Amino acid sequence: MSVLVVIEHDRGALSAASLEALAAARSIDTDVHALTLGAAADGLAAELGAHGAAVVHQVHHDVLSDFGPEAWGECVAQAVRALSPSAVLACGTERGNEVMAQAAARLDLPFVANCNEITAGDVWSIVRVRWGGSLLEQCSLDAPTKLVTVTHHQFEAAEAPAAGAAQSLSLDIAASLARTVVSERVERAAGVTLATAPLVVGGGRGVGSAEAFAPLEELAGLLGGVVGCSRAVTNNGWRNHTDQVGQTGTRIAPDLYMACGISGAIQHWVGAMASKKILAINTDTEANMVTKADYAVIGDLHKVIPAITAEIQRRKGASA
Amino acid sequence: MKVLVCVKRVPAPGAKINITADGQAVDTAYLAFTTSPHEECAVEAAVQLVEQHGGESTVLTLGPAEADEQLRYAASIGVNKAVLLPIDVADWDPQRTAAAITGAIRDLEAAQGAFDLILFGNESADSGNFQVGVRVSHALERPMVNGIKGIELQGDTVRAKRESEAGVEVYSVPTPCVLGVKEGINLPRYPTLKGRLASKKVDVAQVTPQGESGGQHMVMLLQAAEQVSQTVMLGTGPEAAPAVVDLLEELGLLK
Ligand SMILES: Cc1cc2nc3c(=O)[nH]c(=O)nc-3n(C[C@H](O)[C@H](O)[C@H](O)COP(=O)(O)OP(=O)(O)OC[C@H]3O[C@@H](n4cnc5c(N)ncnc54)[C@H](O)[C@@H]3O)c2cc1C
Ligand SMILES: Nc1ncnc2c1ncn2[C@@H]1O[C@H](COP(=O)(O)O)[C@@H](O)[C@H]1O
């Protein structure tokens, strides 16, 4: 067998990211197998087959009742010993990277995280992400079994029908690994989030204070969007970190990102660059955000934003 | 309780990250340096835990001699002890880094007792290998969870919180354990003048790092493809508002 793909799921719900990993695996080898952990994931075999998995190895165990990084990593390590794949792939999500690191530690093998391009061979040649995507690294991977994750959103999921034959894989997992299995969960309230909002009004240091975000809130509310911010804002305690866009915050992909009083540091830009359109509002024509944006308004955000809100209200009033 | 935090010195670039002519490193000629943001929060978490529960915190880094700056910064906000594992290149590969940190922790624990909690960042800001902490925890045979945005000590257990797409997950991890922390877990304090002065006097212990090279070798750094766009100027000041609203209409955002 050749390439084994670790399938991420949440209590049986398939993570679409894993379909990207299956697509990446098919670009490396024609013989692709999948690994699902926990009985809750048994129902995924058909869909994994449709995306190119010839065999789906299913592991059942008490400690796999929910996600647990150590239990999952141990399963991957034992699956490698049992099945001897030439490579193991997962998608570079938070869980994907953690599980692969756990497996690599157990197997004492190298692990390359967040790969954009893979040229397979005896030694693999890889282009991977650094600085959250601001920079790339070309590296080589020399190991008897290659362990890698592929950058999320880099490979496109695609159907490629294969057997998807379910096979039970019996592994000997220590019950003590339950120590890092999720013990409680508080479900998120439904609604638009920063990551999924169609419009984000972002504020940076130029906003000046926590109170001065009120006009940004008003504008976002009027358009069914949400407010985001830069790290300068969270560091000043003006807004909660959950609103931060960037390398160490949230990656956004709205139809429009209105970046107000944000200079556009590279670490902010990597979180915003997937936006379909960017409009910068800034007093500085030379600001990186302005030169990189699709649209710009030069001026004081404290005057420009209320004027935009007023214009929207005027037009809405006129059409009502 | 005894807490150890592992941090990495990284450059703090602005609008762009430039690469040296030989492609081997980030051009840091005009750059300041900092601690990775996730790790800055891990340092703050360590200081808070010791403030609440008593004990002692230690900060450790593997890096160039100049990483002394990041260790003293941690000391300036309240970390008690500092350890430097000096190397004469910018970086070691993740397996080698983990081996060196594991060795240093074993020596520290043999001399001064075990750490109840070892904190890492979720990933380093520059290389983002997502693994050094995990490897260290496994070598030390301690439980580890990454991505942590909340730490609460309850007797011999740490209630660690993590955000997922579905909601907030809680892990009840027995100590001694290892956690990877994410920015947002707290708001790191700024050093006081008193803290800064005190940090100058902190004794930075030096430990010679030891570790075999791993199987991941950096060949060179590359620039990411840049999106170039001709910025369309919609106007200046409040007078630009109608043009902005036209754009919102065009993009179908005005409902
Ligand atoms: C490892 C690392 C990770 C990081 N991760 C992140 C991250 O995830 N997210 C993030 O945002 N940053 C991150 N940063 C920080 C980043 O480098 C910048 O420091 C930060 O983004 C700057 O925020 P800012 O643009 O709001 O502030 P500044 O850079 O100070 O820019 C303020 C801007 O506001 C404009 N302005 C001022 N007044 C007005 C006004 N009245 N009207 C209109 N415009 C005005 C100015 O012209 C300027 O362009 C990270 C840094 C490092 C080293
Ligand atoms: N050179 C280093 N010195 C100390 N800690 C490090 C070093 N490199 C990585 N770490 C720690 O390991 C975590 C994960 O790093 P990485 O595997 O590079 O993403 C970081 O957030 C740090 O806490």
Side-chain angles (χ1 to χ4, degrees), chain A residues 22 27 88 117 130 134 169 195 200 215 232 247 252 255 264 277 291 318:
Chain A
L22 277 170
S27 74
V88 185
E117 290 169 35
R130 278 194 165 224
S134 312
L169 178 65
V200 176
Q247 182 182 345
I252 60 170
D255 295 328
K277 297 285 177 200
T291 57

Side-chain angles (χ1 to χ4, degrees), chain A residues 41-318:
Chain A
D42 283 358
L44 302 179
E47 192 170 356
L48 298 174
H51 283 82
V55 181
V56 180
H57 302 274
Q58 302 177 326
V59 184
H60 297 164
H61 196 283
D62 286 349
V63 303
L64 300 175
S65 57
D66 204 339
F67 177 70
E70 291 186 292
W72 279 46
E74 177 65 22
C75 285
V76 174
Q78 288 193 26
V80 167
R81 293 194 191 103
L83 305 169
S84 309
S86 63
V88 185
L89 261 69
C91 190
T93 58
E94 188 164 300
R95 285 183 175 183
N97 281 325
E98 186 178 29
V99 168
M100 291 297 274
Q102 283 283 351
R106 285 158 208 284
L107 293 163
D108 197 19
L109 285 173
F111 155 52
V112 182
N114 296 331
C115 303
N116 282 2
E117 290 169 35
I118 297 170
T119 311
D122 193 22
V123 173
W124 283 15
S125 173
I126 291 172
V127 175
R128 66 178 294 270
V129 158
R130 278 194 165 224
W131 282 99
S134 312
L135 208 63
L136 302 173
E137 167 190 349
Q138 192 188 329
C139 71
S140 64
L141 170 58
D142 189 1
T145 309
K146 276 51 168 199
L147 306 182
V148 303
T149 56
V150 292
T151 309
H152 195 10
H153 303 307
Q154 182 70 23
F155 291 82
E156 208 169 324
E159 298 212 350
Q167 240 171 53
S168 161
L169 178 65
S170 134
L171 304 176
D172 184 18
I173 312 296
S176 61
L177 294 185
R179 66 193 186 182
T180 50
V181 171
V182 175
S183 62
E184 283 166 51
R185 187 156 100 178
V186 184
E187 304 290 327
R188 189 185 302 286
V192 268
T193 65
L194 187 55
T196 59
L199 176 108
V200 176
V201 181
R205 196 192 303 278
V207 177
S209 68
E211 299 71 41
F213 269 87
L216 280 74
E217 291 279 1
E218 191 187 0
L219 177 59
L222 210 52
L223 297 167
V226 299
V227 168
C229 69
S230 72
R231 184 162 179 251
V233 168
T234 41
N235 272 355
N236 275 316
W238 298 343
R239 293 194 77 84
N240 199 292
H241 182 270
T242 44
D243 291 347
Q244 183 176 315
V245 172
Q247 182 182 345
T248 51
T250 301
R251 275 136 203 274
I252 60 170
D255 295 328
L256 181 67
Y257 178 41
M258 300 174 73
C260 315
I262 297 177
S263 64
I266 188 87
Q267 303 89 0
H268 184 82
W269 180 257
V270 286
M273 67 187 183
S275 306
K276 291 195 190 68
K277 297 285 177 200
I278 297 179
L279 162 64
I281 301 177
N282 204 302
T283 43
D284 178 6
T285 45
E286 301 297 315
N288 199 45
M289 204 74 211
V290 171
T291 57
K292 280 182 153 176
D294 302 284
Y295 308 95
V297 172
I298 303 304
D300 181 352
L301 69 94
H302 300 106
K303 299 202 176 103
V304 177
I305 293 174
I308 296 170
T309 303
E311 175 67 12
I312 294 171
Q313 277 160 340
R314 194 187 63 79
R315 290 195 200 181
K316 280 193 171 174

